[in-house]
């Protein structure tokens, strides 16, 4: 531990505590910004905790009361703190310096532990790395706003007519019902082979046209995932791609959509063995705006704890993914397996269906369930996408989605009488057609032939 770091950390502790003792008005704001871990000197940590306890109890925090709360042994220290602090005017600046000095101090200490742990084994070293990642990602302070501030901010937002940066998902009807902002936690659940990965890929490649996306896979590999994207974008059947049975026309189609395959800002990450802390660290280092986890139940628990059950492990992972969004602003989309119902009973999945943990349904801001209404009909490719939980909008609604397995494509089934949705759907299809026509220089224009033979098709 460097002597300079310890000395600088000590100075900032003294300045903060001195400000709290000579000016009670700064205690509230400082308690919002600091924690006991910011005070590396034991006596100063005790003073901070005593002031915090007294404030919580509604009692005075003058030096005499604080000393009494500490057993009467801190009179000299308290007097020295007040004597060396001339003013509390810079208390918030002192707090900012204290946080940075404390972080530097703790990182140096963990650096020494990491060097020692590395000699013992990789698991011990990785546990220290997890602590370093958690320390550097902690959310500073507590944000508190009163109703007047909220009201003024509300008017400002709407006067500017500027919406929050909601995510769009490329699924007709979905964008109109869920309002996902940076930092939200979304869960997409489904039975095995329901199409979760295909839907997640279709969503995230759309999002990656505007945002940076990291796709963490615990199954599959980057080659298989990219094969699906090629089928999705080119409409060349996935079966032909897997069999290496591509003809010249297929290659032409694939080349024609080259830009849409390579321009999205999407990266695939082999996450085998990665904990939620590992995902967090890599997501921050790669500056992802959306993290996709495929899938939640495959993520191992933290290395510091030994789990008695999968329920506990998955509950911890779910909470860690939620905290990843809350503390860093990175949006998380986690795929999740659902527990299959009793085959003797006709039932559809609900929030209770998430496998191995009920914590998932509590942590999620948005939970979507993907399933077939008739699992026995293999010919029926219609899927139901149900919005089972929606903190910022309507829940319980369901969209009918047609899944075309050959190209790994989901498309919205338009209900009869839904003229607005139909108009949007066909407008989108028209735009796609114009793009295809523009890309194909050999496109042949077909016109109706005027003649006497009315039965001819053209």
């Amino acid at each position: 531990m460097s002597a300079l770091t310890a000395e600088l950390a000590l100075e900032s502790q003294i300045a903060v505590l001195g400000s709290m003792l000579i000016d009670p008005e700064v205690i509230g704001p400082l308690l919002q910004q600091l924690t006991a871990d910011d005070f590396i000197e034991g006596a100063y940590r005790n003073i901070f905790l005593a002031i915090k306890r007294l404030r919580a109890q509604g009692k005075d925090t003058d030096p005499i009361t604080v000393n009494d709360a500490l057993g009467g042994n801190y009179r000299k220290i308290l007097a020295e703190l007040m004597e060396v602090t001339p003013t509390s005017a810079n208390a918030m600046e002192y707090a900012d310096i204290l946080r940075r000095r404390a972080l530097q101090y703790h990182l140096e200490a963990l650096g020494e532990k990491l060097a020692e742990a590395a000699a013992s084994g990789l698991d011990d070293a990785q546990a220290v790395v997890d602590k370093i990642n958690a320390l550097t990602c902690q959310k500073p302070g507590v944000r508190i706003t009163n109703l007047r501030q909220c009201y003024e901010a509300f008017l400002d937002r709407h006067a500017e007519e500027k919406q929050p940066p909601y995510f769009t998902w490329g699924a007709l009807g979905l964008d109109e019902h869920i309002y996902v902002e940076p930092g939200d936690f979304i869960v997409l659940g489904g039975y095995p082979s329901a199409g979760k990965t295909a839907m997640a890929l279709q969503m995230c490649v759309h999002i990656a046209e505007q945002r940076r996306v990291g796709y963490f896979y615990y199954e599959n590999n980057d080659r298989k995932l990219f094969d699906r994207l090629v089928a999705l974008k080119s409409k060349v059947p996935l079966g032909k791609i897997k069999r290496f049975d591509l003809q010249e026309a297929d290659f032409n189609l694939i080349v024609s959509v080259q830009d849409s395959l390579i321009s999205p800002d999407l990266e695939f990450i082999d996450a085998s063995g990665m904990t939620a802390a590992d995902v967090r660290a890599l997501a921050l280092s790669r500056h992802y705006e959306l993290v996709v986890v495929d899938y939640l139940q495959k993520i191992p628990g933290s290395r510091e704890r030994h789990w008695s059950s999968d329920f506990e492990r998955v509950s911890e992972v779910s909470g860690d993914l939620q905290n990843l969004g809350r503390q860093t602003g990175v949006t998380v989309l986690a795929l999740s397996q659902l527990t299959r119902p009793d085959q003797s009973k006709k039932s559809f999945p609900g929030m209770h269906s998430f496998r191995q943990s009920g914590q998932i349904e509590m942590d999620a801001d948005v939970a979507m369930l993907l399933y077939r209404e008739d699992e026995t009909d293999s010919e029926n490719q219609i899927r139901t996408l149900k919005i089972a939980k929606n903190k910022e909008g309507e829940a319980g609604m369901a969209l009918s989605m047609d899944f075309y397995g050959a190209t790994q494509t989901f498309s919205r089934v338009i209900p009869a009488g839904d003229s607005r949705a139909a108009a949007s759907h066909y407008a989108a299809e028209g735009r796609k057609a114009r793009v295809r026509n523009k890309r194909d220089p050999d496109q042949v224009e077909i016109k109706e032939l005027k003649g006497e033979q009315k039965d001819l098709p053209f």
Side-chain angles (χ1 to χ4, degrees), residues 44-84:
Y44 295 156
R45 186 185 309 112
N46 292 338
I47 294 172
F48 175 80
L49 289 172
I51 294 174
K52 186 175 182 179
R53 284 196 304 271
L54 291 170
R55 175 55 71 96
Q57 295 167 2
K59 298 181 179 180
D60 291 335
T61 54
D62 58 82
I64 295 176
T65 309
V66 173
N67 184 51
D68 182 67
L70 290 167
N73 300 318
Y74 281 73
R75 184 186 300 273
K76 182 179 179 180
I77 297 177
L78 294 172
E80 291 174 350
L81 289 173
M82 297 175 68
E83 183 179 351
V84 299

Side-chain angles (χ1 to χ4, degrees), residues 309-363:
S309 68
D310 283 339
F311 182 92
E312 293 181 354
R313 175 182 59 81
V314 173
S315 295
E316 183 208 48
V317 168
S318 176
D320 287 345
L321 293 178
Q322 182 197 44
N323 288 332
L324 167 57
R326 293 287 184 273
Q327 296 174 356
T328 69
V330 176
T331 302
V332 179
L333 170 62
L335 278 58
S336 174
Q337 294 283 18
L338 298 181
T339 301
R340 286 194 179 277
D342 186 346
Q343 297 298 318
S344 64
K345 299 178 181 179
K346 177 69 174 179
S347 63
F348 299 130
M351 292 293 287
H352 61 280
S353 303
F354 287 111
R355 182 178 293 179
Q356 294 173 329
S357 178
Q359 188 67 35
I360 298 172
E361 61 184 277
M362 291 188 283
D363 292 335

Side-chain angles (χ1 to χ4, degrees), residues 1-2 5-6 9 37-38 40 98-116 128-138:
M1 187 70 57
S2 78
T5 299
D37 288 338
D38 293 321
I40 60 176
L98 174 55
R99 282 200 309 270
R100 289 188 283 110
R101 296 303 184 198
L103 176 60
Q104 183 179 358
Y105 181 91
H106 290 307
L107 286 175
E108 285 192 21
L110 287 172
E112 293 177 0
K113 289 184 179 180
L114 179 60
E116 296 173 1
V128 178
V129 171
D130 289 346
K131 291 181 179 180
I132 293 173
N133 290 332
L135 185 64
T136 55
C137 296
Q138 285 181 352

Side-chain angles (χ1 to χ4, degrees), residues 30-270:
L30 288 173
L31 289 178
Q32 295 176 27
Q33 297 297 321
L34 300 171
T35 69
D37 288 338
D38 293 321
F39 294 84
I40 60 176
E41 168 60 40
Y44 295 156
R45 186 185 309 112
N46 292 338
I47 294 172
F48 175 80
L49 289 172
I51 294 174
K52 186 175 182 179
R53 284 196 304 271
L54 291 170
R55 175 55 71 96
Q57 295 167 2
K59 298 181 179 180
D60 291 335
T61 54
D62 58 82
I64 295 176
T65 309
V66 173
N67 184 51
D68 182 67
L70 290 167
N73 300 318
Y74 281 73
R75 184 186 300 273
K76 182 179 179 180
I77 297 177
L78 294 172
E80 291 174 350
L81 289 173
M82 297 175 68
E83 183 179 351
V84 299
T85 307
T87 177
S88 64
N90 301 318
M92 299 311 293
E93 286 77 7
Y94 297 153
D96 184 60
I97 294 171
L98 174 55
R99 282 200 309 270
R100 289 188 283 110
R101 296 303 184 198
L103 176 60
Q104 183 179 358
Y105 181 91
H106 290 307
L107 286 175
E108 285 192 21
L110 287 172
E112 293 177 0
K113 289 184 179 180
L114 179 60
E116 296 173 1
S120 301
L122 184 59
D123 289 342
D124 292 340
Q126 187 62 57
V128 178
V129 171
D130 289 346
K131 291 181 179 180
I132 293 173
N133 290 332
L135 185 64
T136 55
C137 296
Q138 285 181 352
K139 185 177 181 179
V142 178
R143 177 179 172 84
I144 299 177
T145 53
N146 60 38
L147 291 182
R148 175 177 291 278
Q149 292 169 322
C150 291
Y151 177 72
E152 292 172 352
F154 174 88
L155 294 180
D156 289 341
R157 290 196 306 270
H158 287 269
E160 296 173 359
E161 297 184 352
K162 185 177 181 181
Q163 284 189 0
Y166 297 133
F167 280 69
T168 61
W169 303 91
L172 186 63
L174 196 57
D175 296 339
E176 301 169 7
H177 293 92
I178 63 173
Y179 307 100
V180 173
E181 299 183 39
D184 284 349
F185 179 36
I186 306 95
V187 180
L188 174 62
Y191 300 132
S193 302
K196 297 185 299 299
T197 297
M199 176 162 282
L201 282 172
Q202 187 168 332
M203 288 176 169
C204 70
V205 77
H206 167 81
I207 293 171
E209 293 175 0
Q210 301 294 330
R211 303 172 188 262
R212 185 163 171 77
V213 180
Y215 193 105
F216 291 75
Y217 58 87
Y218 287 80
E219 294 185 330
N220 294 309
N221 56 48
D222 53 358
R223 173 175 51 79
K224 292 180 179 179
L225 292 171
F226 191 72
D227 285 351
R228 293 189 183 204
L229 286 184
V230 172
L232 170 67
K233 290 295 185 179
S234 69
K235 306 309 177 190
V236 173
L238 181 62
K240 297 185 71 175
I241 295 173
K242 304 305 291 183
R243 295 191 303 270
F244 282 67
D245 188 25
L246 299 178
Q247 307 302 312
E248 182 177 355
D250 300 321
F251 280 111
N252 289 337
L253 285 172
I254 294 170
V255 172
S256 72
V257 297
Q258 173 181 310
D259 289 345
S260 64
L261 283 172
I262 65 176
S263 62
D265 196 356
L266 170 64
E267 294 181 339
F268 294 126
I269 302 95
D270 182 353

